[in-house]
Amino acid sequence: MWNRKELKTRAKAVLKTSYWKAFLVSIIILITGGGIRFPSINYEFKKSSSHGFPFIGADSFFSSNLFLVLAALTLVVIMLIVLSLIAFRIFVGYPLEVGGRRYFVQSAQNDTDLNYIGYGFGKGRYIDIVKSMLWRGIFNFLWFLLFIIPGIVKWYSYLMVPYILADNPNIGYRRALKLSMDMTYGEKWRIFIFHLSFIGWYILGMITFGIGTLFVMPYVNASEAEVYLTLRQKALDKGLCTYQELNLDEPSQPEF
């Protein structure tokens, strides 16, 4: 049974010596790790309104070929932007997110090398990371299509996938998803409360027009890495995975 306060204390100890490195990595994760939101766009046109277009009547505007052309071009531009952002998320964001998670896991073990950010782009890693993260994204999307609550539950089930890939990028998407579900089994509510415990920091950050929340992210990411390390060790102890599977050195056996 892991203690939320204890893991946060460990994260604070790590950040005391490497806060600004953690801040840089957190910004990269934010930008490339799915932090972009697309606001809904609602257009409402009224055929007869005194507040319509000043020089062209609303009826004639709707019947104009120019309007149809502009509307089509606007739709094409929006689609291209959305597709570009999705492609950026998949081919750049996924590897950077895994590299960022690897940095935080390694920093929790006194290794704060910023080169870990580019870990996901290494030869023999990139394709497997993109494929596994893409499948995770697809499954999350499909679950959210059902209902919000099942979507949130499954989001927590797959939460450890980037961390698992940070340990072994070639583990395969099926195994990564399954191992993440095993690690979070019976732990999802505790992880949810763990995330909820940062809400006070985020509210405080919002007072500074949201800028302050950026400085909270290293603390959150470092603490979540501690959660992963705890769940990973638990999985190893229970035989849910092996040290070799996660590219870890086995602990040395005591000599008699």
Side-chain angles (χ1 to χ4, degrees):
M1 186 73 69
W2 50 278
N3 183 280
R4 182 173 68 246
K5 185 176 180 180
E6 181 180 338
L7 296 187
K8 286 185 173 183
T9 300
R10 289 185 204 167
K12 290 176 184 177
V14 173
L15 293 176
K16 281 183 180 179
T17 58
S18 57
Y19 176 82
W20 291 110
K21 286 184 178 181
F23 179 79
L24 174 62
V25 177
S26 295
I27 292 296
I28 292 173
I29 291 175
L30 174 68
I31 295 174
T32 63
I36 300 172
R37 296 291 182 268
F38 301 99
S40 60
I41 303 174
N42 297 311
Y43 295 100
E44 182 180 352
F45 295 101
K46 295 182 180 180
K47 291 187 176 181
S48 59
S49 172
S50 59
H51 302 289
F53 299 94
F55 300 108
I56 305 177
D59 290 334
S60 61
F61 186 83
F62 268 100
S63 62
S64 171
N65 289 333
L66 177 60
F67 171 75
L68 296 177
V69 171
L70 290 176
L73 287 175
T74 301
L75 182 61
V76 169
V77 170
I78 291 175
M79 290 180 62
L80 288 175
I81 292 174
V82 171
L83 290 174
S84 297
L85 290 173
I86 292 174
F88 178 80
R89 167 68 175 143
I90 293 172
F91 297 109
V92 179
Y94 284 159
L96 284 176
E97 181 180 354
V98 170
R101 299 305 177 192
R102 182 171 177 83
Y103 168 83
F104 278 105
V105 168
Q106 294 301 118
S107 67
Q109 302 169 88
N110 301 315
D111 184 2
T112 57
D113 188 351
L114 281 175
N115 288 323
Y116 287 126
I117 297 174
Y119 175 81
F121 294 98
K123 186 177 180 181
R125 303 176 191 142
Y126 179 77
I127 297 299
D128 286 339
I129 285 175
V130 169
K131 184 167 65 174
S132 297
M133 289 291 286
L134 181 58
W135 275 108
R136 178 216 189 198
I138 291 172
F139 281 121
N140 274 332
F141 175 72
L142 292 176
W143 277 105
F144 272 106
L145 283 181
L146 295 177
F147 290 103
I148 296 297
I149 299 301
I152 294 174
V153 171
K154 280 300 179 180
W155 185 86
Y156 274 99
S157 292
Y158 303 142
L159 182 65
M160 298 301 158
V161 169
Y163 293 98
I164 294 169
L165 295 174
D167 280 335
N168 182 5
N170 309 119
I171 196 171
Y173 79 89
R174 288 189 180 90
R175 181 57 180 149
L177 292 170
K178 177 64 167 59
L179 185 52
S180 179
M181 288 189 289
D182 289 341
M183 286 184 175
T184 56
Y185 180 76
E187 302 282 359
K188 287 184 279 292
W189 178 252
R190 290 176 61 80
I191 300 173
F192 173 75
I193 297 299
F194 161 80
H195 283 148
L196 200 63
S197 68
F198 293 98
I199 192 168
W201 286 103
Y202 281 118
I203 292 174
L204 189 62
M206 292 301 293
I207 295 176
T208 57
F209 304 100
I211 297 175
T213 58
L214 299 178
F215 296 94
V216 180
M217 290 189 306
Y219 180 32
V220 177
N221 288 325
S223 299
E224 188 174 278
E226 295 287 350
V227 173
Y228 170 70
L229 287 171
T230 301
L231 297 183
R232 185 181 74 180
Q233 189 58 53
K234 181 180 176 181
L236 289 166
D237 293 341
K238 294 176 67 175
L240 298 175
C241 59
T242 64
Y243 287 89
Q244 292 83 0
E245 189 177 25
L246 295 179
N247 293 332
L248 302 174
D249 295 328
E250 290 194 47
S252 56
Q253 299 294 328
E255 296 182 3
F256 295 97

